[in-house]
């Protein structure tokens, strides 16, 4: 039964199968334990290359596969002008990507993607000794970046922001490089700037390489940009904002 599987298995994917049973199981302790599994079943990496912290986490397979199905649906409709017009999100964004399509809110809830992201956001705040009573999803969109596309230097008007890396075949498996100037020239990297004080003793930049199925979370005020895609490969990411008061 649910209890036996739950007690004997701390696997995150099992957690999400169990999560589907919330409509049948009315037990607050069970829910709290499920949320605890989210944090403890797989490593949640917290690191600070400079002043503020980043969070990195591998998106659970069940959640990620649901997201891939939604992205494939959107990708197959990009030649439909009416679909693109109805779902275009680019006029809210700084990015210069071929397509920036908002994620359907119904999908966000049914796929448990919203629950996952808000739990990750709560975890990030807790690790920073912070708490929000009204943490909730802001906007979420899919970036389809083709050759020549890029994101200029910008930040976000929210509490926390994040990106989920989906597709960029030429750079999968690359390692992160902290304050590495040469990596700024690599296509597809997300570059963060903490300070304009260019001093050898000041690690003022962090360069995050593309890692498929990884989520990267950071404070929204942090300035960042994405290098131009100068290759023929299509680059797909999902970006989002989390809102809330502290």
């Amino acid at each position: 039964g649910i209890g036996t599987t739950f007690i004997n298995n701390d696997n995150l994917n099992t957690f999400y199968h169990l999560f589907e049973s919330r409509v049948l199981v009315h037990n607050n302790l069970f829910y709290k334990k499920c949320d605890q599994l989210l944090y403890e079943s797989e490593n949640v990496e917290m690191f600070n290359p400079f002043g503020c912290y980043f969070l990195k986490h591998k998106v659970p397979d069940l959640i990620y596969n649901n997201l891939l199905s939604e992205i494939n649906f959107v990708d197959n409709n990009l030649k439909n002008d009416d679909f693109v017009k109805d779902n275009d999100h680019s006029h809210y964004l700084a990015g210069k990507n071929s397509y920036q399509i908002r994620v359907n809110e119904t999908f966000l809830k049914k796929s448990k993607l919203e629950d996952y992201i808000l739990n990750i956001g709560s975890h990030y705040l807790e690790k920073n000794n912070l708490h929000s009573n009204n943490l909730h999803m802001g906007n979420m969109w899919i970036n389809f970046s083709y050759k020549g596309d890029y994101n200029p230097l910008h930040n976000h008007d929210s509490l926390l922001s994040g990106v989920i890396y989906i597709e960029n075949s030429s750079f999968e498996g690359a390692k992160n490089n902290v304050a590495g100037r040469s990596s700024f020239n690599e296509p597809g990297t997300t570059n963060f700037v903490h300070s304009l004080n260019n001093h050898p003793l000041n690690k003022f930049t962090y360069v995050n390489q593309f890692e498929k199925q990884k989520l990267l979370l950071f404070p929204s005020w942090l300035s960042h940009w994405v290098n131009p895609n100068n290759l023929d490969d299509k680059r797909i990411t999902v970006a989002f904002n989390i809102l809330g008061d502290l």
Side-chain angles (χ1 to χ4, degrees):
I2 292 178
T4 303
T5 305
F6 174 74
I7 292 171
N8 293 333
N9 194 333
D10 282 346
N11 180 270
L12 200 57
N13 291 326
T14 300
F15 159 72
Y16 275 105
H17 287 297
L18 294 172
F19 197 96
E20 295 283 356
S21 301
R22 285 196 175 190
V23 294
L24 302 177
V25 180
H26 303 282
N27 186 315
N28 289 333
L29 180 61
F30 176 84
Y31 299 160
K32 291 178 181 178
K33 185 62 178 176
C34 283
D35 292 339
Q36 181 183 352
L37 281 178
L38 173 62
Y39 306 144
E40 298 178 354
S41 302
E42 280 194 21
N43 291 330
V44 176
E45 182 185 357
M46 296 280 293
F47 58 99
N48 59 330
F50 35 63
C52 61
Y53 277 89
F54 291 79
L55 180 152
K56 187 177 289 189
H57 188 250
K58 181 183 177 183
V59 178
D61 288 344
L62 181 63
I63 299 293
Y64 186 73
N65 289 334
N66 286 337
L67 182 56
L68 286 182
S69 296
E70 180 70 4
I71 291 172
N72 287 335
F73 169 78
V74 172
D75 198 6
N76 290 333
N77 281 278
L78 290 180
K79 302 303 181 184
N80 183 330
D81 292 340
D82 290 335
F83 175 85
V84 172
K85 181 180 179 180
D86 290 341
N87 295 280
D88 179 37
H89 203 60
S90 61
H91 48 287
Y92 294 105
L93 307 171
K96 306 301 181 183
N97 295 295
S98 295
Y99 299 99
Q100 293 178 292
I101 305 296
R102 65 177 176 83
V103 174
N104 181 276
E105 292 182 7
T106 301
F107 165 78
L108 260 178
K109 295 183 182 299
K110 287 188 175 181
S111 67
K112 310 306 180 188
L113 179 58
E114 179 175 346
D115 293 311
Y116 164 67
I117 287 176
L118 291 180
N119 278 327
I120 284 289
S122 295
H123 183 70
Y124 178 92
L125 293 180
E126 289 171 8
K127 290 298 184 180
N128 284 277
N129 297 314
L130 297 170
H131 176 74
S132 175
N133 289 320
N134 65 339
L135 207 65
H136 58 283
M137 282 297 302
N139 51 344
M140 175 181 280
W141 64 96
I142 308 167
N143 296 304
F144 294 88
S145 174
Y146 296 89
K147 190 170 185 178
D149 291 349
Y150 67 97
N151 278 31
L153 185 67
H154 67 286
N155 58 16
H156 295 221
D157 185 18
S158 50
L159 179 61
L160 300 172
S161 297
V163 58
I164 301 173
Y165 295 99
I166 305 297
E167 180 180 333
N168 192 10
S169 57
S170 294
F171 296 96
E172 290 174 9
K175 295 182 178 179
N176 292 330
N177 184 330
V178 177
R181 297 176 183 276
S182 62
S183 63
F184 281 150
N185 296 322
E186 295 179 4
T189 57
T190 308
N191 309 287
F192 295 87
V193 181
H194 182 251
S195 170
L196 297 179
N197 182 11
N198 186 2
H199 188 278
L201 295 179
N202 181 22
K203 288 185 177 180
F204 62 99
T205 60
Y206 169 65
V207 181
N208 190 72
Q209 298 280 6
F210 195 103
E211 294 179 87
K212 186 177 181 179
Q213 203 172 337
K214 286 292 183 73
L215 177 149
L216 183 72
L217 191 72
F218 52 91
S220 298
W221 55 260
L222 187 61
S223 296
H224 54 285
W225 78 92
V226 179
N227 284 347
N229 182 3
N230 58 14
L231 301 176
D232 293 328
D233 290 333
K234 177 171 60 178
R235 181 180 186 272
I236 302 176
T237 59
V238 175
F240 60 88
N241 291 313
I242 300 176
L243 304 174
D245 297 324
L246 295 178

